[in-house]
Amino acid sequence: MIEITLADRVFVLTGAGISAESGIPTFRGAGGFWKTWRAEDVATPQAWKRDPRVVWQFYSERRLQAERIAPNPAHYALATLEQKLGDRLFICTQNVDPLHEMGGARRVVHMHGELMKSRCERCAQPFHDEAGHDEVPRCRCGGHIRPHVVWFGELPFALDEIFEALEHCDVFVTIGSSGTVEPAASFPQWAGQKTSRGRARTYYIGDEEPANSVYFDQVFLGRAGELVPKVFPG
Ligand code: OAD
């Protein structure tokens, strides 16, 4: 169990591992996206410039896949924790899927964007595309519509808000992330350093040791769907 006192502020960072039991492949594990696709071909500004259709179709397939998914006990446990802690809990996810929200969480920061959203590459207007498009749609301004996700080489969203929350947390927990992609891989190091509130206690939950395990005080090994409800009992 992870002990949380009445004064504690908690920062939870989630990665692909929390969605694995909901049927979404991770990136680097067996059957992961980056085993089938080269990130350079589908998840970089250069790939988009070269051939927007290939990139658009990669994300269209992921959107179709996401229509059949459901949250698992780890998502529900975090939503319950949010009800208990209110704004003392900061949920930050690297995932672009909507599973936290489907599980009932209200305030989730999607630092790598959201799969179900799109925007104009030129004027940044959001684009509502419930109908689904095989071809890359165009905005009224003439720009291509792009997925509202962060590609390699682009800055993640909400970094100011994230670093503010890291600075003020007392408990930091990563769930299901290999600890290989920056800046998120360094969050436990930031939280574990002395901040305005002292040094946060840092925990990892996942089915194997992450690459950044040295920054965690304690590592809980196991599947998120099983462990998260146990370490944060309702
Ligand atoms: P990875 O695929 O790199 O790592 C997933 C982690 O989840 C691994 O450490 C697995 O051991 C663990 N895992 C798998 N199944 C699990 C389960 N049932 N319970 C708990 N843990 C499990 O995914 P991320 O670290 O999230 O970025 O990847 C970070 C970023 O790299 C992604 O957001 C994406 C990717 O390229 C962009 O696309 C910009």
Side-chain angles (χ1 to χ4, degrees), residues 14-18 20-21 26-29 34 39 43 59 62 94-95 112 150-152 175-181 204-210 222-225:
T14 66
I18 198 171
E21 288 157 76
T26 61
F27 290 94
R28 296 171 181 81
W34 301 151
Y59 286 97
R62 292 182 62 188
Q94 295 170 92
N95 301 341
H112 288 169
V150 173
W151 291 322
F152 288 98
I175 304 169
S177 177
S178 58
T180 51
V181 174
Y204 181 78
I205 302 170
D207 68 353
E208 61 188 17
E209 288 253 338
R223 287 153 73 97

Side-chain angles (χ1 to χ4, degrees), residues 168-229:
H168 292 100
C169 74
D170 306 285
V171 175
F172 174 92
V173 187
T174 297
I175 304 169
S177 177
S178 58
T180 51
V181 174
E182 294 292 356
S186 294
F187 289 175
Q189 186 187 9
W190 277 81
Q193 283 168 357
K194 204 156 167 44
T195 65
S196 53
R197 291 167 71 92
R199 144 181 214 295
R201 287 131 31 219
T202 56
Y203 303 91
Y204 181 78
I205 302 170
D207 68 353
E208 61 188 17
E209 288 253 338
N212 57 352
S213 65
V214 65
Y215 300 127
F216 295 99
D217 298 327
Q218 199 174 344
V219 170
F220 296 94
L221 285 184
R223 287 153 73 97
E226 242 167 71
L227 285 187
V228 178

Side-chain angles (χ1 to χ4, degrees), residues 26-28 32-39 42-43 58 62 152:
T26 61
F27 290 94
R28 296 171 181 81
F33 283 113
W34 301 151
K35 302 279 178 194
T36 319
W37 298 84
R38 279 164 22 112
V42 291
F58 171 72
R62 292 182 62 188
F152 288 98

Side-chain angles (χ1 to χ4, degrees), residues 62-115:
R62 292 182 62 188
R63 284 173 175 167
L64 281 177
Q65 200 176 39
E67 279 171 11
R68 298 187 295 268
I69 54 174
N72 68 58
H75 298 103
Y76 290 121
L78 287 183
T80 305
L81 187 67
E82 185 186 71
Q83 276 167 17
K84 245 167 64 182
L85 299 186
D87 65 7
R88 288 192 292 121
L89 175 66
F90 188 88
I91 303 176
C92 173
T93 186
Q94 295 170 92
N95 301 341
V96 296
D97 66 59
L99 285 167
H100 284 298
E101 290 85 350
M102 288 167 74
R106 297 272 167 82
R107 291 169 297 99
V108 180
V109 171
H110 283 268
M111 63 179 291
H112 288 169
E114 293 178 71
L115 182 61

